[in-house]
């Protein structure tokens, strides 16, 4: 059951990440940054599909259940994008979100995951670290 709880937590995090990029992308004016955000969002969608498939392979139905903290985060993203947010702030928010996601995922893999799930989560973690590097490029410009 711990494997399912852990995979469910990652599923929730990927959902919030997708929501964040969905909120930011329409507001982007810088085409290079927009393309990078779209690429990262596509990666999170792929992760969501992979984790969903793994949960199904384990004989369960995936459920997205955002806790209060994640719901507040989504609300803040929505509020910020409605009132306007500068592109450099979008990169910083995305970086902070990616960092929080990596930290949470690292906690998850400390638990009892089966080998297949552990390998999958390791791949997701590696790709999310790559996203941080991509975002850092914009911040350091």
């Amino acid at each position: 059951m711990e494997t399912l709880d852990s995979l469910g937590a990652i599923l929730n995090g990927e959902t919030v990440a997708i929501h964040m990029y969905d909120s930011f992308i329409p507001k982007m004016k810088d085409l290079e940054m927009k393309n990078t955000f779209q690429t990262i969002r596509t990666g999170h969608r792929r992760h969501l599909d992979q984790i969903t498939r793994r949960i199904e392979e384990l004989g369960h139905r995936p459920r997205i259940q955002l806790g209060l903290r994640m719901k507040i985060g989504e609300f803040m993203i929505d509020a910020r994008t409605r009132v306007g947010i500068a592109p450099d702030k979008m990169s910083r928010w995305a970086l902070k979100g990616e960092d929080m996601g990596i930290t949470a995922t690292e906690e998850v893999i400390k638990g009892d995951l089966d080998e297949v799930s552990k390998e999958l989560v390791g791949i997701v973690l590696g790709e999310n670290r790559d996203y941080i590097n991509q975002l850092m490029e914009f911040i350091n410009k």
Side-chain angles (χ1 to χ4, degrees), residues 39-129:
T39 299
I40 293 171
R41 179 185 59 190
T42 298
H44 283 297
R45 285 181 175 160
R46 186 179 63 256
H47 298 161
L48 184 81
D49 290 343
Q50 291 169 323
I51 299 295
T52 296
R53 193 170 30 257
R54 181 65 191 141
I55 291 169
E56 289 170 345
E57 288 169 359
L58 292 169
H60 295 272
R61 192 169 149 208
R63 291 192 191 134
I64 296 169
Q65 298 174 322
L66 303 182
L68 181 61
R69 189 172 164 189
M70 286 187 175
K71 287 180 184 178
I72 290 171
E74 282 195 328
F75 174 77
M76 290 175 64
I77 290 166
D78 289 342
R80 288 280 180 140
T81 54
R82 268 191 229 112
V83 297
I85 183 170
D88 65 315
K89 297 234 189 227
M90 285 187 219
S91 293
R92 291 184 190 284
W93 268 60
L95 179 65
K96 183 178 180 180
E98 292 291 344
D99 188 54
M100 289 170 58
I102 286 171
T103 300
T105 302
E106 287 172 339
E107 285 301 312
V108 164
I109 60 172
K110 288 180 183 176
D112 291 330
L113 286 176
D114 64 273
E115 287 305 311
V116 173
S117 298
K118 189 175 275 193
E119 184 178 333
L120 174 59
V121 172
I123 291 168
V124 167
L125 218 90
E127 290 178 5
N128 288 348
R129 287 186 181 117

